[in-house]
Amino acid sequence: KKVKIVKKRTTRFIRHQSDRRDTIKPSWRKPKGIDNRVRRRFKGAIPMPNVGYGSNKKTRHMLPNGFLKFVVSNVKDLELLLMHNRRYAAEVAHNVSALKRK
């Protein structure tokens, strides 16, 4: 039986007030201010990441095609995948040159 992949949230959580100034990047940081409305979970404030957004354990880290990603950096890693080709999909590591990718 195949479990349908359901993501509770696909958009990234953006950092509070990151839209207001360039120095604050959108990558999530937990607000720690004493009066912060995001930390106090006021209505209309940006949502904070919490455990309720977690995915189903069976489908966690799964790609839309149903495979799990496996980073491959050499031929030996690739041969390892031949036994598990129904579960894992290979992704060539970023530090493998174009010459060796062939």
Side-chain angles (χ1 to χ4, degrees):
K1 185 178 171 269
K2 197 162 188 257
V3 184
K4 194 170 187 290
I5 302 169
V6 176
K7 301 266 185 266
K8 290 182 190 168
R9 187 186 169 93
T10 52
T11 53
R12 309 270 316 239
F13 286 98
I14 61 157
R15 187 175 176 181
H16 179 50
Q17 288 191 339
S18 65
D19 53 338
R20 286 181 172 235
R21 46 182 79 211
D22 294 331
T23 54
I24 298 175
K25 298 288 175 264
S27 60
W28 176 255
R29 298 288 184 274
K30 188 170 165 60
K32 303 232 167 66
I34 52 169
D35 293 331
N36 190 287
R37 51 205 292 270
V38 175
R39 183 189 59 78
R40 289 158 70 186
R41 299 200 178 98
F42 279 19
K43 188 168 74 176
I46 339 170
M48 274 205 301
N50 56 40
V51 75
Y53 287 106
S55 299
N56 182 345
K57 199 185 252 185
K58 285 179 181 160
T59 62
R60 196 174 297 159
H61 306 298
M62 218 175 248
L63 300 170
N65 60 7
F67 286 103
L68 292 168
K69 203 185 282 185
F70 183 79
V71 180
V72 170
S73 52
N74 54 36
V75 180
K76 198 171 118 189
D77 289 350
L78 199 60
E79 286 166 359
L80 180 87
L81 274 189
L82 290 173
M83 288 144 40
H84 308 285
N85 60 359
R86 290 201 174 266
R87 188 115 171 88
Y88 294 95
E91 181 188 340
V92 183
H94 80 284
N95 56 353
V96 177
S97 66
L99 201 74
K100 287 189 176 176
R101 282 170 190 259
K102 288 182 173 157

